[in-house]
Amino acid sequence: MFWRLDAEERGRITAVDLSTGGLRWRHDLDALNAVLLAGDRVVASSAAGGRREVLGYDLRSGEQRWRTEAHGLPESLRLSGQDPSAEPVALAWNWLGSHLRWFSPATGGKLGSLRPRPGISFYGSDDPLTRADGESLWLTTNDRRRIDLLRPFTARPRTRTFTPLPRRLAYSSPELVEAAGRLYALARPAFEHEEAPWEERRGTLVVTARVDRPGRYRRLNPVRWPGAVPRSERHIMWADLTAGRNHVYVQGWHRDGTGRTLAVRGNRVLWQREGRSSVAVPLDDRVLLVEQGAERDHLYLVDGETGAFADPAVERT
């Protein structure tokens, strides 16, 4: 099952039989926002016909099983990490209304809702990060100066301020990742003017904090670079974050236009390599990189700790 948007933001959900490649079913929807596969249900957030609604389809037949306006028009849909023997619960987040709802993907029935406290700003996260426990979410505020933790299934307080940020978060995709008990994000350098032209910006910083230890406030601090790396090599315009089991991979461009991939573990930069990687796929403590070449792309399997080729005898595949 896969889905896509066209140039007019109309959406299409398609299901294909993997054994034959044949088309099983297809649905065209207006303003398709998010799609979730939950067991034998496909759940879609849509504004078909001007109605903001969530729909549930049978995975095998494509038959519509339910539709409801009770969940609004979620920007993202996630499954909670409940007991595998229990019925799954779908989480629906709508950042415009700062509203989290959860419901049964089997029936569409509403199970609960939560409005996080607005504080100084509304919540700007299009797609919150689901914590490793599967039952809580990280959210950034629209002013990008605070990160809160939502715990919808626990006793009050269900919203907790994790950290007031000393520097504004930078834009990245996604905004936050978590790996091995740490939260990671990208941040603007301190004292850099918000309206500074691109060519005058100092780049972005990878910041991190421990999140598997108790404590109400915990600041995200910049990771440490090896002393052998000149400071001029650290000012990189980062764009993408990918979390592995123990490592985080950051991809972007140096000021001179060359592509870079950076590996971080804990609060330290382990290595960086030139070459724009369009895809990073973590495999335990290794990472599969697809790097764009002039005539063809190259596929590398790299050790996450050292940056060396996983198989020294084979440099390229």
Side-chain angles (χ1 to χ4, degrees):
M1 186 277 295
F2 58 94
W3 65 285
R4 61 177 290 273
L5 297 176
D6 63 17
E8 284 74 37
E9 295 190 355
R10 292 187 297 266
R12 169 174 290 178
I13 307 175
T14 304
V16 174
D17 189 317
L18 288 181
S19 62
T20 66
L23 175 67
R24 295 292 293 267
W25 53 266
R26 175 182 292 156
H27 289 297
D28 293 315
L29 299 169
D30 294 336
L32 185 61
N33 270 22
V35 177
L36 174 69
L37 181 62
D40 61 354
R41 289 288 186 269
V42 178
V43 182
S45 166
S46 169
R51 299 174 58 184
R52 297 184 174 185
E53 58 190 3
V54 180
L55 306 98
Y57 298 101
D58 185 274
L59 174 61
R60 293 189 176 277
S61 68
E63 181 181 354
Q64 182 180 299
R65 297 298 188 184
W66 55 264
R67 68 192 304 164
T68 176
E69 297 183 5
H71 312 315
L73 185 65
E75 295 292 336
S76 68
L77 295 166
R78 297 287 179 87
L79 283 180
S80 70
Q82 299 224 330
D83 188 322
S85 62
E87 180 185 353
V89 174
L91 297 170
W93 168 249
N94 186 330
W95 71 269
L96 283 175
S98 298
H99 203 159
L100 180 70
R101 300 173 175 92
W102 50 100
F103 60 93
S104 165
T107 66
K110 185 176 177 180
L111 301 176
S113 64
L114 169 65
R115 287 187 182 274
R117 60 171 182 260
I120 59 173
S121 175
F122 69 87
Y123 289 78
S125 296
D126 288 347
D127 193 9
L129 170 66
T130 303
R131 281 219 62 190
D133 61 15
E135 297 184 355
S136 52
L137 301 94
W138 296 117
L139 281 175
T140 60
T141 52
N142 195 53
D143 64 359
R144 312 187 72 77
R145 287 194 179 278
R146 198 177 80 232
I147 298 172
D148 281 0
L149 178 65
L150 268 61
R151 297 174 293 185
F153 308 121
T154 63
R156 294 184 181 276
R158 295 195 294 176
T159 304
R160 176 169 77 88
T161 297
F162 169 68
T163 177
L165 299 174
R167 35 175 76 80
R168 191 183 301 270
L169 289 182
Y171 290 97
S172 63
S173 178
E175 294 178 337
L176 305 166
V177 297
E178 185 179 353
R182 280 187 171 269
L183 186 68
Y184 295 85
L186 302 183
R188 301 280 297 274
F191 310 114
E192 182 176 83
H193 194 274
E194 188 69 23
E195 304 300 326
W198 176 263
E199 60 274 8
E200 295 179 9
R201 292 189 178 181
R202 297 169 53 194
T204 53
L205 304 171
V206 184
V207 293
T208 183
R210 292 291 297 266
V211 294
D212 58 353
R213 294 178 177 175
R216 184 171 179 81
Y217 297 108
R218 195 172 294 278
R219 290 184 180 274
L220 279 84
N221 295 312
V223 298
R224 301 196 301 266
W225 285 73
V229 178
R231 291 193 175 275
S232 61
E233 292 290 305
R234 307 176 190 182
H235 296 168
I236 300 175
M237 309 300 181
W238 299 117
D240 302 314
L241 295 169
T242 304
R245 182 174 63 180
N246 293 306
H247 303 82
V248 169
Y249 305 98
V250 193
Q251 300 163 279
W253 294 268
H254 191 266
R255 194 178 294 278
D256 62 9
T258 58
R260 301 293 173 95
T261 297
L262 183 77
V264 178
R265 178 173 53 81
N267 62 348
R268 296 187 302 113
V269 175
L270 299 177
W271 51 265
Q272 68 170 327
R273 60 179 284 128
E274 285 193 21
R276 171 60 180 165
S277 178
S278 57
V279 180
V281 183
L283 302 168
D284 292 327
D285 286 330
R286 299 183 294 178
V287 61
L288 193 65
L289 301 176
V290 181
E291 295 189 350
Q292 299 172 348
E295 297 182 357
R296 60 177 60 89
D297 293 344
H298 300 284
L299 185 65
Y300 300 93
L301 186 59
V302 175
D303 183 84
E305 192 74 10
T306 65
F309 292 112
D311 183 354
V314 181
E315 194 164 293
R316 289 181 179 176
T317 301

